[in-house]
Amino acid sequence: MPQALSVGDRLRLSGGYDYEPRWLPNGQSYFGTLVAFIPGQNAIPAAVVQLDRPITVDEVIGEVLVLELRYKGAMWKETETVHVELCPFVPESRSWQHREQGKWVESHATYHRVDAENAL
């Protein structure tokens, strides 16, 4: 499956279902690097993002996010809406149903691919 995103791409993650998402205190965004694609919940693989710094949500601290595409027919491209799972560990390359799961923190986040210079 051709993908517009590639391992090594820099991403900015933001947004959410709520006006003030609990995973984004003070409306900030997070930056990270796409480090892998692993089997997802459906046919489309999930993306694993190594954040630049750890984040905390409801007492779970982690620096790895697993992103799953939100809408049917969506593909990994420059920007898209995703579910976000916060992991205090590096997830195995197995489907969500067959691996240790992190904490689900958002259903409507948005990622944007960014230039390395703009992701500091």
Side-chain angles (χ1 to χ4, degrees):
M1 174 179 78
Q3 297 165 335
L5 288 185
S6 299
V7 169
D9 284 347
R10 296 284 295 157
L11 303 177
R12 179 175 59 86
L13 295 129
S14 61
Y17 184 77
D18 295 324
Y19 178 68
E20 293 182 11
R22 71 184 195 280
W23 77 290
L24 292 173
N26 304 316
Q28 65 188 6
S29 57
Y30 299 115
F31 290 91
T33 302
L34 177 60
V35 295
F37 286 100
I38 62 174
Q41 293 185 45
N42 301 303
I44 304 294
V48 179
V49 175
Q50 174 71 47
L51 295 172
D52 292 350
R53 61 183 175 85
I55 64 172
T56 303
V57 179
D58 298 336
E59 299 180 13
V60 174
I61 301 169
E63 58 187 65
V64 175
L65 299 179
V66 177
L67 309 179
E68 295 265 2
L69 291 168
R70 174 75 174 97
Y71 296 110
K72 183 177 181 175
M75 302 295 286
W76 293 110
K77 55 188 181 188
E78 192 164 331
T79 186
E80 191 56 78
T81 302
V82 291
H83 293 279
V84 178
E85 175 186 352
L86 174 61
C87 297
F89 52 84
V90 175
E92 295 178 85
S93 184
R94 300 174 66 185
S95 67
W96 178 83
Q97 299 89 333
H98 298 104
R99 65 170 170 80
E100 181 180 3
Q101 299 162 11
K103 177 170 184 56
W104 176 89
V105 296
E106 183 55 63
S107 65
H108 290 77
T110 303
Y111 73 82
H112 297 277
R113 183 174 48 212
V114 295
D115 295 332
E117 305 86 53
N118 297 328
L120 300 176

